[in-house]
Amino acid sequence: MKEKRRRKAMKRKDRWIRVGRWLLAIALVGVLWIGVVQVRMATLPDRELPPQDVGIVLGASLWQTTPSPALKERLDRAVELYRSGVITEVIVSGGYDTPKSTLTEAEGMRNYLMEQGIPEGHVYLENEARSTYENLKFSQAIMKEHGWTSSVIITHRYHAVRALDIARFLGFERPQASPMDSSVLMMSWHRSRETLAFAKWQWDKVQLSLGYELQR
């Protein structure tokens, strides 16, 4: 009887050891994956770009009707690319921040770009998107409508890694990014949050590949 109990105890111990090893392996893989994503976010190059058909500015919050300081950083980069001749057209993408918003993100961005001297006729509004995936999917439809094939995605460096991955998944032709660092965002928070968003996107890709549409 004692021997039987001893064997059962040994089996339980072995089982917990195996579980512990699996958990440790999963944790190590997770830490490695997080490290790789963080490095990619920090080191995505901001290289000189050849002329592109259009720039796509990914939306962020408005402060009432004015772009937030972080969104202004993205818009200022779009202005820089426009003035240097890299782009001649701009898509601004983003829907309403909240049900109480009086402007879409795209409308607020359009107004800011016009104040910086970009003619209204060169700014195209995408007013529906509520996620990065929708930003790029709906902007891609505008590109097809106008016959544009080359584009540069304009967003912060930490966000551009996921945005480029989404663009490739959607079939953008050699998607480019013009990423910038931020002087107004708390980057430790945003990089951590974006790491989780990037992980979720990997699952979203699986669902989309299987024919499921993402819930809004």
Side-chain angles (χ1 to χ4, degrees):
M1 194 69 176
K2 288 183 179 180
E3 181 63 20
K4 189 175 181 180
R5 286 198 296 269
R6 189 182 70 81
R7 287 176 182 172
K8 285 184 178 180
M10 288 296 294
K11 285 182 181 179
R12 285 196 297 270
K13 182 179 179 181
D14 290 343
R15 188 160 52 244
W16 280 112
I17 288 173
R18 287 195 297 271
V19 169
R21 286 173 177 169
W22 274 108
L23 291 174
L24 179 60
I26 292 169
L28 289 174
V29 170
V31 169
L32 179 62
W33 186 83
I34 289 170
V36 169
V37 172
Q38 289 285 326
V39 169
R40 288 177 65 188
M41 286 182 193
T43 60
L44 185 70
D46 181 13
R47 59 173 64 94
E48 186 174 343
L49 294 169
Q52 306 290 313
D53 290 336
V54 65
I56 302 173
V57 186
L58 303 186
S61 296
L62 297 179
W63 285 7
Q64 295 183 347
T65 60
T66 303
S68 64
L71 184 52
K72 285 181 180 179
E73 290 178 325
R74 299 180 186 183
L75 293 166
D76 288 340
R77 174 58 62 89
V79 172
E80 178 185 330
L81 294 175
Y82 181 87
R83 290 175 177 169
S84 66
V86 174
I87 57 175
T88 56
E89 316 292 341
V90 186
I91 296 172
V92 286
S93 176
Y96 288 104
D97 277 342
T98 70
K100 295 182 179 180
S101 298
T102 58
L103 294 179
T104 64
E105 291 175 359
E107 288 169 334
M109 290 191 281
R110 183 268 317 275
N111 295 345
Y112 181 86
L113 291 177
M114 290 174 60
E115 290 171 0
Q116 307 309 309
I118 297 182
E120 184 176 8
H122 291 263
V123 183
Y124 298 78
L125 275 66
E126 186 292 292
N127 282 311
E128 302 297 327
R130 295 166 57 183
S131 67
T132 303
Y133 173 74
E134 290 185 348
N135 284 144
L136 292 165
K137 182 180 179 180
F138 299 161
S139 294
Q140 185 181 44
I142 295 174
M143 288 179 62
K144 289 178 179 177
E145 180 183 342
H146 292 276
W148 299 327
T149 57
S150 62
S151 59
V152 54
I153 299 166
I154 303 167
T155 189
H156 288 94
R157 196 178 312 277
Y158 74 90
H159 186 217
V161 174
R162 179 164 57 101
L164 281 170
D165 197 57
I166 292 171
R168 295 185 190 103
F169 178 83
L170 288 169
F172 275 65
E173 184 177 316
R174 295 187 299 277
Q176 305 284 336
S178 183
M180 79 289 304
D181 294 314
S182 177
S183 61
V184 299
L185 295 173
M186 186 172 70
M187 293 311 303
S188 58
W189 159 252
H190 284 278
R191 283 180 183 162
S192 299
R193 183 173 177 270
E194 182 62 21
T195 300
L196 295 175
F198 193 83
K200 181 182 180 300
W201 163 241
Q202 303 311 304
W203 172 240
D204 289 343
K205 270 200 297 190
V206 172
Q207 294 184 82
L208 290 164
S209 298
L210 294 174
Y212 296 99
E213 275 300 319
L214 302 182
Q215 292 186 349
R216 299 194 76 189

